[in-house]
Amino acid sequence: MSEIAAQTFYSISFYKGYLPLKEAQQAQSYVVLALTAEDSTLLYDDDAFATCSIGSAQVTAKAPSPAPEGTVTPENIELGHHTSLLSSGTVPSPSPPFISPMTYSPYPPNENCRASPPMLSGSISFSGIHNEASGTAGHGCGVSFYLFHKRDVQPPPIRYYVSPKKVHRCFLGCERSGCSCNRIHFRPGVWRMRLETLPRLPLTVARAGQNVRVAQNHIQPTAGYFFSLGLKAAKVLPAVVPTMCRFNKACRNGISCLYIHTDQTVTPKQTQTSGISLCEWSRHVMDVALSQKEAGRFFEFLDEQGVHTVGDMQVLGNVAFDSLAARIPPQWAEAFLTLSVLRDLDTKMPLQSALMAFPRIEVPVELPVYLNTVGDLLNLTASAFVQLPVAPFVMDVCSLIRARYGTDEAFNIIDLKKEHPNSFFSNATRMIQHFCRTRAHCSWRKHDPTRPVVTSVLTFVDVNRCHCHRNGDNPYNTHEEHIEASFPSDIEAMGTPSGSWCQCMRRGVIAVNYELSTPSGSRCSEQNAMGKLASLGVPTWGVREVFVHGMASKKEANPLFPCGVCENMLQRVTKDVLAHYGGDITLYMFDATTPRKIVFLPIPEISNRDSANFKKFVAEDLRDS
C-alpha cells in the first residue's frame, strides 16, 4: 500500500453530514465496517466485542482487549460528560493511518471472502422498519456493524476508493490475518464498538438545505444511521445531524448506505431565504435540541456575534465559521449543527436555489446554460471560473461556495464499466483496442513483435460549425476564416463526451508509433496523429481530446504520458484552442492494456506527472489488483 493510497483512504469521510472543521477531522478518523455472517467468529465469539448502552451507567463487555492509549472506548465513557464543540476531549486528534502488520493465521483464507466485493452489496435488503429500542437489524440480514479507528485497519486496493467523495456505502471487514481478499483487514484485539445493538434514537437529519426531525420508528437501518449512533455513543461527536439519502427507499446501496433512509420525503424549496431569521428558519426542529429558555439564550448569543439571518450564516468564510463554532458551548452543539446544515449544499442542488440563500442576489439569476447545479460550479476549472459571465455579487457568492468545499480533485477517473456501449469513451477505447491488436504491423518497429506499440487518438470538431466557448455559446464569434477541409468517409463520428465545454460532435484520427532504425530514431503516435490532422486541413484549434494507450509484451505500459517533445507540441495546440474558445485539450490515459478505467487531466496540467504522489498513483495504485 503506497503513501498516496493510505492518504486517500484517510481522506474519506464515512460520516455524511455537515460538521465544523475539528469535528469533521475527528469523525474522519473513524470508519464503519460491516461483518457478514460467514465471519462467525467475529459475530458470536469476539473477544473484543463490546456494547455501550446509551443512557445507562452499565457497560457490558466480554473479555475486553486493552485499547490503545487515548482511544475512545465504551469503558471510559462517562455519562453526563460532554466535550466542547471543537474540543476532542478524550478523542485523540487525527493521526496518520496505522497499517496493521499481516501475521500468520491458523485459519485458511476464506474463498467466499476472496470472491466477495470489498463493499457491502446493495442486494442485502431491509427487513422492514424497526421499532425496537435495541433491535438487531444486522442479524436480520446476516450483517453486523462495527466502529473502528482508521489507524487500526488496512484499506483495500485503492481502485475501490480512488474518488473519495464518491464513497457512499460502507466496506466489508475481515479479521483473518494473511488473507488475500479485498476486504478491509484489521488486527485481532483492536478496539471496536458494536453498533447495531445500540439503542435506536430519533435524529434531526438534513436534506436539500432543510432539517427534519425523524422518530426512530421512521428510520430504516443503514450503516450511516449506525455510524452516527456510534460516533455519538463513543463521544467522538457531541451531536450529529446526518444527511438523508436522496434516493431513500429506492437506494441501491440498501443497508450499506452511509446516508439516512426514512419513510419521509423532503421537497426542495426554491425561495428567497437569505433574509429569514435563524430563529424562524429552525423553529420546527429547535424545540427538540433546546428548551425554549435555552433556545432564547442561544439566539441571543448569535445576535451578539452579528449572525441574525440565513444570509449572515451563508456569507461566513470557512475560517470565520470555524471561529464561531469554537465559541459554541457543548450544550448548544446539536442546535448549532442544525443551523450549520444551511451551509451544506448538495452537488445535485440547483444552483439557482443555492444562490437564493445568500444576500444581495436578485431573482431571476442569469446563469450560463451549462451551469445548472452546485456540482457544475465546483467542477469548473480555475480559468473557466474566472471567465464566468455573471453579475458581480453572483460571482462573489459562487467564489464563497467554491472556497467552502474546495475544488481540487486529486485525480479524475472514468469507470468504463459504467459507460454506455456506444458512449464517446467506449467508442474511443474500442477503436484503440481494435487498431493496436489487428493493424499495428511489427514491420514498422524493426520487425520486432515484442517492441511496445503506442496508439493515440486525436479527436477534432468541424471548426466552421463550432461556436462553443468555455463561458457558453458564442454565436458572434464570426471573425474566424472559413476552413476548407473535407473529411474522408472512413472518419466516423465518435459522439460527444459528457461534461465537456464543447458539445460538438467529435471525429477522430488514430495513429501508432514507429521506429525503422536506431539512428533515425522513433516517431511517437501523438505526432503521427497530429500529422494526419494537418494533412486533412484541420486547424490546431479544432483538436479537443488526446487518448494514449500502450501495449508491451514484457510489462504493463499504462498509464502512458506523452514524451517531452509531444507535450510541447500539445501545449502549443492547446494555446490555440484557448485563444479561440477559452477552453483546453484533455489528455486521457488508460489504466491497463485491457482497460477498465481512464485517467484524465487537462494538457496544461501534464506537469503534475512529476509529482511524487501522482506518479505513485498512476504507476502503482491504479493498476493495483
Side-chain angles (χ1 to χ4, degrees):
M1 182 64 61
S2 70
E3 177 186 356
I4 185 61
Q7 291 177 353
T8 303
F9 178 76
Y10 205 70
S11 69
I12 299 174
S13 177
F14 288 90
Y15 173 79
K16 301 301 181 181
Y18 195 79
L19 291 170
L21 177 61
K22 288 189 177 179
E23 274 79 1
Q25 292 175 338
Q26 290 166 195
Q28 198 166 303
S29 300
Y30 290 82
V31 59
V32 56
L33 297 184
L35 302 178
T36 59
E38 64 191 51
D39 299 306
S40 56
T41 57
L42 295 176
L43 292 176
Y44 309 114
D45 190 22
D46 185 0
D47 289 341
F49 168 82
T51 60
C52 175
S53 298
I54 300 177
S56 169
Q58 184 176 1
V59 176
T60 305
K62 180 180 178 182
S65 59
E69 183 179 355
T71 303
V72 177
T73 66
E75 288 80 0
N76 62 26
I77 294 178
E78 298 178 6
L79 295 172
H81 171 71
H82 293 276
T83 59
S84 63
L85 190 61
L86 289 185
S87 175
S88 61
T90 59
V91 183
S93 59
S95 56
F98 175 79
I99 305 302
S100 305
M102 304 301 289
T103 57
Y104 172 78
S105 171
Y107 302 101
N110 187 306
E111 294 300 326
N112 293 331
C113 185
R114 182 182 294 111
S116 301
M119 286 187 173
L120 185 59
S121 172
S123 62
I124 300 177
S125 60
F126 294 111
S127 56
I129 299 177
H130 293 255
N131 299 320
E132 297 85 352
S134 60
T136 55
H139 289 301
C141 54
V143 178
S144 285
F145 295 91
Y146 284 81
L147 177 69
F148 286 87
H149 199 291
K150 283 184 179 178
R151 66 188 177 195
D152 293 327
V153 304
Q154 179 169 332
I158 194 174
R159 68 176 182 270
Y160 296 112
Y161 53 92
V162 70
S163 297
K165 295 181 181 179
K166 296 182 179 180
V167 176
H168 301 308
R169 53 178 177 161
C170 73
F171 290 91
L172 285 167
C174 178
E175 191 179 31
R176 293 178 174 85
S177 300
C179 178
S180 60
C181 72
N182 287 329
R183 299 184 182 185
I184 289 185
H185 291 83
F186 50 91
R187 294 176 297 136
V190 299
W191 174 86
R192 51 189 176 271
M193 177 184 285
R194 185 78 168 270
L195 298 179
E196 82 279 0
T197 55
L198 293 173
R200 305 294 173 80
L201 298 176
L203 290 178
T204 298
V205 299
R207 175 73 178 100
Q210 303 176 58
N211 290 313
V212 180
R213 187 69 177 181
V214 184
Q216 60 266 40
N217 61 324
H218 290 284
I219 299 177
Q220 294 185 338
T222 62
Y225 177 58
F226 294 136
F227 192 42
S228 297
L229 295 180
L231 291 175
K232 190 172 182 180
K235 298 196 182 294
V236 178
L237 298 176
V240 291
V241 182
T243 301
M244 182 190 299
C245 179
R246 72 166 63 96
F247 302 107
N248 246 338
K249 294 181 180 180
C251 179
R252 64 180 181 179
N253 292 327
I255 199 172
S256 68
C257 183
L258 293 173
Y259 293 86
I260 304 299
H261 290 184
T262 79
D263 57 1
Q264 299 184 15
T265 58
V266 178
T267 304
K269 299 178 181 178
Q270 189 166 335
T271 57
Q272 189 79 38
T273 59
S274 62
I276 299 177
S277 69
L278 293 174
C279 181
E280 174 65 20
W281 183 86
S282 61
R283 61 187 175 89
H284 296 295
V285 292
M286 192 57 68
D287 57 344
V288 178
L290 298 174
S291 65
Q292 185 175 0
K293 181 178 180 180
E294 196 67 23
R297 295 176 56 194
F298 172 64
F299 287 112
E300 286 178 6
F301 170 80
L302 292 180
D303 288 341
E304 292 173 358
Q305 305 301 316
V307 183
H308 312 283
T309 65
V310 170
D312 294 336
M313 180 68 81
Q314 290 286 20
V315 297
L316 292 177
N318 291 340
V319 175
F321 175 77
D322 292 332
S323 175
L324 175 62
R327 298 195 295 273
I328 298 296
Q331 65 269 24
W332 295 345
E334 184 175 351
F336 187 75
L337 283 182
T338 300
L339 295 181
S340 300
V341 171
L342 283 167
R343 298 168 56 84
D344 189 16
L345 307 177
D346 189 274
T347 55
K348 301 294 184 181
M349 185 178 188
L351 186 56
Q352 290 269 4
S353 300
L355 294 174
M356 290 181 183
F358 290 81
R360 307 195 73 171
I361 299 297
E362 297 182 359
V363 181
V365 181
E366 297 293 335
L367 295 173
V369 293
Y370 59 87
L371 209 57
N372 298 311
T373 66
V374 173
D376 294 336
L377 174 65
L378 299 180
N379 289 332
L380 290 176
T381 63
S383 59
F385 175 68
V386 171
Q387 301 178 47
L388 275 181
V390 295
F393 288 113
V394 174
M395 188 69 169
D396 184 55
V397 170
C398 290
S399 179
L400 285 173
I401 294 175
R402 285 168 61 87
R404 182 178 302 174
Y405 291 97
T407 56
D408 296 329
E409 184 69 27
F411 310 108
N412 297 304
I413 301 294
I414 295 172
D415 191 342
L416 291 173
K417 292 185 298 183
K418 298 180 180 179
E419 288 292 312
H420 188 275
N422 291 322
S423 72
F424 171 77
F425 296 108
S426 297
N427 289 336
T429 304
R430 190 162 46 247
M431 178 190 300
I432 289 176
Q433 287 278 280
H434 175 73
F435 192 92
C436 69
R437 296 182 186 278
T438 62
R439 301 179 63 181
H441 200 272
C442 66
S443 61
W444 290 95
R445 282 167 297 282
K446 299 182 177 180
H447 292 272
D448 186 356
T450 65
R451 295 189 71 82
V453 177
V454 180
T455 310
S456 292
V457 169
L458 263 66
T459 66
F460 64 98
V461 299
D462 186 348
V463 295
N464 295 323
R465 298 182 179 181
C466 180
H467 300 294
C468 300
H469 195 274
R470 172 68 81 176
N471 293 330
D473 289 346
N474 185 13
Y476 302 104
N477 187 16
T478 58
H479 66 278
E480 305 289 357
E481 73 271 22
H482 184 80
I483 304 298
E484 294 292 341
S486 58
F487 304 137
S489 58
D490 60 341
I491 300 183
E492 300 179 357
M494 297 176 58
T496 303
S498 59
S500 173
W501 61 269
C502 176
Q503 289 299 302
C504 294
M505 176 59 66
R506 305 295 203 269
R507 298 178 184 274
V509 295
I510 191 167
V512 295
N513 62 319
Y514 68 89
E515 183 179 1
L516 296 176
S517 66
T518 301
S520 64
S522 62
R523 295 296 179 270
C524 297
S525 59
E526 298 94 326
Q527 296 178 38
N528 294 333
M530 282 186 271
K532 275 191 173 183
L533 288 182
S535 300
L536 291 174
V538 177
T540 52
W541 56 89
V543 179
R544 292 295 180 266
E545 290 87 23
V546 181
F547 290 82
V548 182
H549 175 272
M551 184 173 66
S553 59
K554 296 181 180 180
K555 65 178 182 178
E556 180 58 64
N558 298 282
L560 194 60
F561 280 95
C563 71
V565 175
C566 293
E567 176 185 344
N568 183 269
M569 292 182 176
L570 291 171
Q571 294 282 12
R572 297 299 180 92
V573 175
T574 301
K575 185 177 180 180
D576 288 350
V577 175
L578 177 64
H580 285 75
Y581 299 101
D584 48 32
I585 300 174
T586 304
L587 170 67
Y588 293 86
M589 301 173 291
F590 298 88
D591 65 324
T593 303
T594 303
R596 295 173 301 176
K597 293 182 174 67
I598 301 177
V599 189
F600 67 96
L601 69 164
I603 290 294
E605 297 178 16
I606 287 183
S607 58
N608 287 342
R609 65 179 171 186
D610 294 326
S611 163
N613 285 346
F614 190 84
K615 289 175 69 174
K616 284 186 177 181
F617 169 75
V618 297
E620 301 172 8
D621 300 319
L622 191 66
R623 296 199 299 260
D624 188 4
S625 59

